[in-house]
Every structure is written in C-alpha cells, then in structure tokens.
Amino acid sequence: MVRRPVAWIVALVLFAEALGVLAVNWFLGVVVDRQDMSLAGLDPDMMSVSSKIGGVVFGLYFALCGLVSLLVALRDRAPAGLGRVLLISAAVVHALLGAFAWGLIGWTAFLLMVVVLALIVLLLMTYDGRPEKPVGPTGPADSGTPPPLSPPAAPTAP
C-alpha cells in the first residue's frame, strides 16, 4: 500500500539530489578556477576540472539511482540485480554522508541525510519478494493452482 508512493518520493528526492550535487560541484569548480590559487602546489585548472567531473559523475550516479526507483514505482516490482545493488550503495553513501554532515555541517544536514537513507531502506524493505495479500475473497479458483486431475481410467479388456 505504501510501496509505490515511497518509490515515487525516493525517485524525486534522488533526482533533486543529483541536480544539487551537480550544481554545487560545478559552482565549486568555477570558484576554484576564478581564484587562480594553488593548494599545496596543485594546479588550479586541474582542481577545477576534477571538481566538475566529480559533480557530473556523482550527479549521474544519483540520477541512475533515481531512475531505478522510478522504474520500481512504475512497475510496482522489487528492484533486482544491478538496480538493487545501486539502491543499497546509495543507502550506504547517504549513511556516510550523514556521518560526515554531523561533524562538518550540523544536525540539520545530518537529519536530511538520515531521512533520505530511511526512505531508500524503506523502499528496499517494502519490496521483500513476498506478494501482497489479496484483498478480495480467496477460494479454489483464486489459488493459482489447477484443480487436481482425476486418475486415468483402467483399460478395459477386449
């Protein structure tokens, strides 16, 4: 009952996060490029380019995780294979980001990361492989197994 809405929410959150990560890293790359300063002898152009590349890579990663969640919402089936691995890795990334956010940014960023982590885990746990219980009446016709066949008749002597 809550599976599809959770999958939709996770998809929207991950797509927004992909855009946010891309925008922040791109902005940081532009700032480093305009300051034209070296950090411990590193080339500023290389730092700018690597920040932009990192933003694109992580933005695509979160967008791909959002696409997996969107497919889960559209199909109403559990993620399988690579999609499940992507969502589990996104949960681990959010747990680590939450831990770093607590120390570096504050409790509000930590809370945001924990909420996203909880949504991803809820998405993974609600699709646990068992079918939902049917709502209507169940009987022999609804059991999904064919009725038993009668034994074959004994051959008659000629």
Side-chain angles (χ1 to χ4, degrees):
M1 186 142 153
V2 303
R3 298 188 319 183
R4 290 185 98 171
V6 168
W8 282 107
I9 291 170
V10 169
L12 290 175
V13 166
L14 287 174
F15 284 135
E17 193 171 9
L19 287 174
V21 165
L22 176 68
V24 166
N25 279 324
W26 198 271
F27 175 73
L28 289 175
V30 169
V31 167
V32 167
D33 193 32
R34 289 190 181 163
Q35 282 191 354
D36 202 28
M37 293 172 53
S38 171
L39 178 68
L42 295 174
D43 183 26
D45 293 329
M46 186 59 68
M47 289 192 310
S48 172
V49 169
S50 61
S51 176
K52 291 176 183 177
I53 290 173
V56 168
V57 167
F58 278 109
L60 287 174
Y61 167 70
F62 285 131
L64 186 60
C65 292
L67 179 66
V68 169
S69 179
L70 182 66
L71 290 174
V72 167
L74 290 174
R75 295 177 182 166
D76 199 23
R77 286 193 320 217
L82 182 62
R84 188 166 184 83
V85 170
L86 279 172
L87 287 177
I88 291 170
S89 68
V92 171
V93 165
H94 281 87
L96 292 172
L97 286 175
F100 288 126
W102 179 274
L104 298 175
I105 300 171
W107 66 270
T108 54
F110 169 77
L111 186 62
L112 180 67
M113 289 296 120
V114 168
V115 166
V116 177
L117 169 66
L119 284 171
I120 294 172
V121 170
L122 183 62
L123 170 69
L124 289 167
M125 295 304 290
T126 54
Y127 288 98
D128 60 356
R130 290 178 286 167
E132 286 187 348
K133 294 181 181 178
V135 178
T138 59
D142 290 341
S143 66
T145 59
L149 298 174
S150 59
T156 57

